[in-house]
């Protein structure tokens, strides 16, 4: 039995590296589309047809890719043509078995077989050929990039050591989120109602950013609530569970945190299938400051005169014992409001987003490290770092191809 399309979409985790090349227009579809072979863009000696553009737009909408579907579809198809032409230059082709494997892998992200995935897409009018070439071109581009760059750089042991020390490897999944944090004093119902209204009203990334700038009390408000890529192992479990049920661009149900209500927008997800997510151990300090009008300036001055968490003991000398606490906990055991702030900090950085009673919390991350049982798999870590480096090189490669191409629109 085919899974409903809505369930399929909730299960998908997309990879930005997958793109779609030229598709074959079925005769029946051509008859119905009006002028399906009308060119909407020419790239060197290749064209993008109106039918391809409409199919790609529909596909992106079904996958809930953020942004304007028309613009994103055209951008993706342009990138496809450039990649395909470059692959031909190097006589690089896919076998039918490689294409089938790519389709199976993509469908497997939704826990579907290839046939189930195709049937689900067909319910909404996306042709099998569109999906086939979408998956196939992703493999083609990755092979092209690896062929050009693998062997052109090395990952040193020092880089692996830094990655292990910083806890930036062996994470099964990372999330690209935006946040709106609504502070609560007393009854949270008013902020809950506001959060529900924001969720109902916001339909775009720019809309979420505007709401974050207006309402959010988090330091991220100034950048539209946008957070950097964050491993799921460093976020509170209840938040991870909630946002992983979203499609890109969707907004979460309100989340109740200590003294706050939050909503999150999922912008993107990236997955590492070569590793499991270890526990992350966090050492952090909470130093309570009087919540006066100049508290932010006091916090900045405090941060300027200390080198790390150890120096806070000197600052707290003679103060009540509960004014400074330094703890070491596994990330999943850290209170949700604290964990959310720590996920945005590097060791030595601080946040003043949390208030507690009449005090402002000067929250500093002392250290972050994975909790590793047994021997560390350095070879797997090296592969992860190579993959990250290739992603950056691939972006530069594509921009180079774009700048050299002749691109026109009718």
């Amino acid at each position: 039995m085919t899974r409903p399309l809505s369930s399929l979409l909730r299960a998908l985790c997309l990879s930005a590296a997958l793109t779609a090349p030229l598709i074959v227009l079925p005769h029946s579809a051509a008859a119905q589309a009006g002028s399906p072979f009308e060119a909407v863009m020419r790239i060197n000696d290749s064209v993008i047809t109106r039918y391809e553009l409409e199919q790609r737009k529909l596909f992106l909408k079904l996958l809930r890719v953020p942004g304007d579907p028309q613009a994103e579809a055209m951008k993706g198809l342009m990138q496809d043509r450039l990649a395909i032409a470059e692959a031909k230059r190097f006589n690089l082709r896919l076998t039918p078995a490689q294409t089938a494997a790519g389709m199976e892998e993509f469908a497997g992200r939704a826990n579907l077989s290839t046939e189930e995935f195709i049937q689900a897409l067909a319910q909404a009018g996306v042709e099998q050929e569109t999906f086939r070439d979408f998956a196939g071109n992703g493999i083609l581009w990755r092979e092209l990039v690896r062929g050009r760059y693998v062997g052109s750089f090395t990952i040193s042991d020092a880089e692996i050591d830094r990655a292990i020390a910083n806890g930036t490897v062996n994470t099964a999944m990372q999330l690209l989120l935006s946040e709106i944090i609504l502070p609560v004093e007393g009854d949270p119902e008013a902020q809950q109602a506001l959060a529900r209204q924001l969720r109902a009203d916001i339909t775009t990334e720019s809309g979420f950013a505007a709401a974050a700038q207006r309402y959010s009390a988090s330091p991220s408000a100034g950048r539209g609530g946008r957070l950097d890529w964050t491993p799921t192992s460093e976020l509170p479990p209840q938040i991870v569970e909630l946002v992983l049920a979203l499609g890109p661009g969707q907004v979460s149900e309100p989340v109740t945190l200590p003294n706050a209500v939050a909503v999150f927008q999922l912008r993107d997800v990236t997955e590492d299938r070569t590793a499991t997510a270890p526990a992350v151990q966090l050492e952090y300090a909470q130093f309570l400051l009087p919540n006066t009008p100049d508290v932010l300036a006091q916090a900045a001055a405090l941060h300027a005169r200390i080198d790390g968490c150890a120096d806070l003991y000197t600052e707290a000398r003679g103060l009540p014992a509960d004014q400074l606490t330094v703890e070491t906990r596994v990330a999943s055991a850290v209170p949700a409001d604290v964990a959310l702030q720590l996920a945005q900090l590097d060791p030595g950085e601080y946040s003043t987003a949390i208030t507690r009673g009449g005090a402002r919390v000067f929250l500093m991350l002392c250290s972050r490290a994975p909790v590793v049982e047994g021997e560390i798999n350095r070879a797997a870590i090296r592969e992860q770092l190579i993959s990250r480096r290739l992603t950056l090189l691939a972006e530069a490669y594509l921009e180079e191809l774009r700048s050299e191409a002749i691109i026109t629109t009718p």
Side-chain angles (χ1 to χ4, degrees):
M1 180 176 179
T2 302
R3 182 186 300 188
L5 187 61
S6 59
S7 298
L8 161 68
L9 296 176
R10 284 196 298 270
L12 276 174
C13 293
L14 300 180
S15 167
L18 291 175
T19 50
L22 180 65
I23 62 175
V24 178
L25 178 67
H27 176 75
S28 59
Q32 299 172 8
S35 302
F37 293 112
E38 176 187 2
V40 294
M41 179 176 286
R42 297 181 182 276
I43 304 171
N44 295 328
D45 58 354
S46 179
V47 299
I48 296 171
T49 67
R50 184 166 301 282
Y51 180 79
E52 293 176 87
L53 178 61
E54 293 303 317
Q55 278 279 294
R56 173 58 73 88
K57 283 169 57 180
L58 180 56
F59 196 64
L60 295 183
K61 288 179 180 179
L62 292 174
L63 299 180
R64 294 178 182 153
V65 173
D68 176 64
Q70 175 88 8
E72 293 299 320
M74 186 66 80
K75 176 183 175 182
L77 288 168
M78 177 179 65
Q79 292 176 347
D80 297 341
R81 292 300 187 277
L82 296 172
I84 292 168
E86 187 74 351
K88 288 180 179 179
R89 188 165 74 89
F90 288 99
N91 199 30
L92 179 62
R93 291 185 174 87
L94 296 183
T95 66
Q98 286 176 304
T99 301
M103 296 170 70
E104 181 180 4
E105 187 274 337
F106 194 87
R109 301 180 189 188
N111 295 319
L112 296 175
S113 68
T114 301
E115 185 59 34
E116 289 172 331
F117 191 90
I118 290 171
Q119 290 177 14
L121 292 176
Q123 294 176 23
V126 176
E127 298 285 349
Q128 174 178 340
E129 291 82 3
T130 300
F131 170 48
R132 179 198 66 197
D133 293 330
F134 184 96
N137 191 62
I139 300 172
L140 190 70
W141 177 242
R142 288 194 295 269
E143 290 294 318
L144 187 65
V145 171
R146 295 188 74 89
R148 175 167 178 171
Y149 291 112
V150 168
S152 67
F153 62 88
T154 59
I155 301 296
S156 67
D157 288 340
E159 289 178 275
I160 296 174
D161 291 339
R162 283 195 297 271
I164 294 171
N166 292 334
T168 59
V169 293
N170 287 337
T171 55
M173 193 172 292
Q174 295 193 20
L175 303 176
L176 194 60
L177 300 175
S178 295
E179 63 176 2
I180 297 175
I181 307 296
L182 306 174
V184 170
E185 294 183 4
D187 185 358
E189 179 53 36
Q191 297 294 53
Q192 287 277 5
L194 174 58
R196 289 192 295 269
Q197 188 61 49
L198 291 175
R199 180 177 186 267
D201 292 345
I202 294 172
T203 58
T204 64
E205 187 175 325
S206 61
F208 193 98
Q213 291 171 341
R214 179 177 179 183
Y215 296 108
S216 183
S218 171
S220 64
R223 52 182 184 275
R226 296 179 182 88
L227 306 179
D228 293 331
W229 282 104
T230 305
T232 54
S233 57
E234 295 182 15
L235 290 168
Q238 67 269 38
I239 293 177
V240 172
E241 181 178 355
L242 190 69
V243 298
L244 284 181
L246 303 175
Q250 289 188 317
V251 179
S252 74
E253 295 282 354
V255 181
T256 300
L257 303 172
N259 303 313
V261 174
V263 290
F264 298 91
Q265 183 179 56
L266 178 64
R267 287 153 44 215
D268 204 354
V269 176
T270 185
E271 190 173 6
D272 175 14
R273 296 179 177 273
T274 68
T276 58
V280 173
Q281 183 170 276
L282 303 174
E283 182 184 9
Y284 59 97
Q286 298 180 82
F287 189 44
L288 302 184
L289 300 175
N291 198 12
T292 57
D294 65 343
V295 65
L296 298 184
Q298 291 184 40
L302 172 61
H303 186 247
R305 64 176 179 264
I306 64 175
D307 293 325
C309 291
D311 294 335
L312 288 173
Y313 288 105
T314 301
E315 296 287 335
R317 187 175 299 154
L319 299 176
D322 62 354
Q323 194 154 343
L324 173 65
T325 57
V326 179
E327 299 179 272
T328 300
R329 294 188 182 186
V330 174
S332 59
V334 177
D337 57 339
V338 175
L340 187 60
Q341 295 302 316
L342 292 176
Q344 304 171 48
L345 303 179
D346 289 327
E349 293 182 340
Y350 75 99
S351 167
T352 55
I354 299 172
T355 57
R356 192 165 294 143
R360 178 81 64 159
V361 179
F362 179 90
L363 176 67
M364 174 175 276
L365 178 62
C366 309
S367 66
R368 175 190 290 118
V371 179
V372 180
E373 297 181 2
E375 184 177 353
I376 296 175
N377 189 340
R378 296 179 66 88
I381 295 172
R382 188 183 301 275
E383 285 301 313
Q384 292 177 54
L385 295 178
I386 288 173
S387 178
R388 294 177 189 178
R389 184 78 59 83
L390 286 174
T391 297
L392 296 175
L393 291 170
E395 292 173 358
Y397 188 9
L398 198 57
E399 184 57 37
E400 176 187 330
L401 297 178
R402 186 183 294 111
S403 66
E404 295 174 351
I406 300 174
I407 301 173
T408 61
T409 55

